[in-house]
Amino acid sequence: IALNCDFEKRDSKTGNPEGWKLNFSDIQANGFVTKVDSLVSYKGRYSVSIERFGKKEQYAAIEYIIPKSFIGKRIELRGYLKTQNVKTACGIWLRLDGEAGANLGFENMLQQGINGTNDWKQYNIQLPYSSEVKSIHFGGLLEGDGKVWFDNFELFIDGKRIEKAILAKVVVDCTGDGDM
């Protein structure tokens, strides 16, 4: 599995990083600017920044989805952040979904209260992982005023980079009767 966790692969039509949602919704876009930044990055040519310009919306987030299941007991997300005048909080976030979108785990770092102006620093969060996970969602978020840059996300399953983690076998019912 090849991921674009450093934002270096870009869509030739939009210029956005391949695989990334830069806005959760149109409402979010009314209060925050989320964009690829070629002037400020931790490593490589690009980062993604979120900056608040309005007061209507409370937060904005970027998201990457991996619609796969892996074998393992623990998942860890690491990512680099740089902040400028963040008033409330920002961070990286991780959500694990099961069947029909059931939330099996969630962490967003907001309780850590990362704010102010800070140079690049790596942060990490962890969640228990199980075979019930059907998709992994992760990214970065900003709550309130300020600006934050994100770069070089990494995912690990039981200490192994997700690109080297073992995919869970998917059982397919080919009979059509739903019985296995």
Side-chain angles (χ1 to χ4, degrees), residues 36-49:
V36 174
D37 192 322
S38 63
L39 300 176
V40 176
S41 67
Y42 174 74
K43 183 179 176 187
R45 293 179 52 199
Y46 305 107
S47 68
V48 168
S49 65

Side-chain angles (χ1 to χ4, degrees), residues 123-139:
Y123 294 90
N124 73 70
I125 50 179
Q126 296 183 29
L127 287 171
Y129 190 86
S130 75
S131 60
E132 295 175 41
V133 173
K134 302 301 178 207
S135 63
I136 301 165
H137 303 246
F138 67 93

Side-chain angles (χ1 to χ4, degrees), residues 21-156:
K21 289 183 188 177
L22 295 187
N23 285 314
F24 269 3
S25 68
D26 291 337
I27 294 169
Q28 174 182 307
N30 290 331
F32 293 86
V33 173
T34 305
K35 65 181 183 177
V36 174
D37 192 322
S38 63
L39 300 176
V40 176
S41 67
Y42 174 74
K43 183 179 176 187
R45 293 179 52 199
Y46 305 107
S47 68
V48 168
S49 65
I50 301 175
E51 183 173 18
R52 188 174 190 185
F53 68 84
K55 300 292 183 199
K56 191 172 185 180
E57 295 308 312
Q58 288 302 109
Y59 77 95
I62 59 172
E63 177 181 34
Y64 196 94
I65 302 170
I66 301 171
K68 297 187 183 310
S69 187
F70 298 88
I71 295 173
K73 302 261 185 238
R74 191 136 204 86
I75 186 167
E76 177 184 5
L77 173 65
R78 298 178 192 166
Y80 285 86
L81 275 70
K82 177 181 172 119
T83 64
Q84 181 180 328
N85 300 323
V86 172
K87 301 289 187 235
T88 306
C90 62
I92 57 177
W93 64 272
L94 174 63
R95 188 181 82 228
L96 306 174
D97 285 357
E99 289 291 333
N103 184 338
L104 302 176
F106 180 75
E107 171 63 51
N108 68 9
M109 290 184 62
L110 290 184
Q111 72 281 0
Q112 293 185 30
I114 299 167
N115 56 37
T117 298
N118 302 287
D119 203 0
W120 289 106
K121 182 178 175 186
Q122 186 180 52
Y123 294 90
N124 73 70
I125 50 179
Q126 296 183 29
L127 287 171
Y129 190 86
S130 75
S131 60
E132 295 175 41
V133 173
K134 302 301 178 207
S135 63
I136 301 165
H137 303 246
F138 67 93
L141 64 95
L142 170 63
E143 182 178 301
D145 292 337
K147 184 173 185 177
V148 61
W149 290 264
F150 302 95
D151 206 353
N152 287 77
F153 286 94
E154 297 176 292
L155 274 169
F156 297 86

